[in-house]
Amino acid sequence: MPPETSRASRTPERRSLENSEQEFLTRYAEFAASGTLYPQIEGSPLMEFSSAGRVLFLFDRTGPYRAHPGPARVLVHGVVNADGWALLAPGEARDEAFTMLGASEAEGVGEVIHVSRRSCVVRARLPVVLSTFDSLPAAQVGDWVRFRTLPPLHGFLVEGK
């Protein structure tokens, strides 16, 4: 007979950060970044979006044929894990920063402008929704955080040309 396994040692259950793409987009649409979309390569799942002086390559969550080149508002979403998130200590510099790492991963520093159960919105040159499959540290609106996302960053087209 196999030995009993504790709940903690079992394979973690699959969890979701959203009920649907539309529900997630509706919930966070007010935090979309303004910028410019560039033409997508036919069949590519990546959307090239320029905002706040940065070019982001985002996994297109709203469909490859909705986004058209030109001015657009895009909700930028990144997933962080426990190692990719920290509250800034008192006295640390509070300068917004957002740097792309590789094709679709980012790190930055910014102010928390919205908090929900497993997500928060950070203004780091552009607004970014950061989510975790675990609990967020006790961040509150007004706190400053340093983060590093896991690839890929996701993009939800809010409105475009």
Side-chain angles (χ1 to χ4, degrees):
M1 181 163 211
E4 288 282 324
T5 58
S6 72
R7 181 167 177 79
S9 66
R10 286 189 231 155
T11 304
E13 60 193 67
R14 295 194 53 104
R15 296 174 282 177
S16 177
L17 295 171
E18 59 198 43
N19 293 324
S20 72
E21 289 86 357
Q22 189 57 50
E23 180 268 338
F24 190 84
L25 180 59
T26 300
R27 184 180 332 151
Y28 294 106
E30 70 182 285
F31 301 109
S34 294
T36 303
L37 276 174
Y38 295 98
Q40 281 182 273
I41 297 171
E42 180 68 30
S44 173
L46 293 181
M47 123 181 14
E48 187 175 356
F49 178 63
S50 174
S51 181
R54 304 292 185 260
V55 176
L56 293 76
F57 292 93
L58 307 169
F59 180 71
D60 187 349
R61 296 296 304 278
T62 50
Y65 301 106
R66 256 191 84 203
H68 298 285
R73 291 184 60 239
V74 174
L75 179 62
V76 178
H77 178 233
V79 175
V80 295
N81 60 24
D83 297 337
W85 169 272
L87 292 172
L88 293 186
E92 277 191 79
R94 277 147 167 70
D95 296 322
E96 291 182 18
F98 187 88
T99 305
M100 290 301 297
L101 306 170
S104 189
E105 177 180 6
E107 67 181 6
V109 173
E111 182 178 8
V112 176
I113 59 174
H114 176 82
V115 177
S116 61
R117 191 168 69 94
R118 288 195 315 214
S119 297
C120 72
V121 181
V122 175
R123 186 178 54 241
R125 296 184 54 99
L126 65 143
V128 181
V129 179
L130 298 174
S131 299
T132 179
F133 288 101
D134 302 311
S135 298
L136 285 171
Q140 299 177 32
V141 171
D143 286 344
W144 281 73
V145 297
R146 179 179 319 283
F147 64 88
R148 182 174 182 154
T149 66
L150 300 170
L153 286 172
H154 293 208
F156 296 78
L157 181 65
V158 174
E159 59 187 55
K161 185 174 134 182

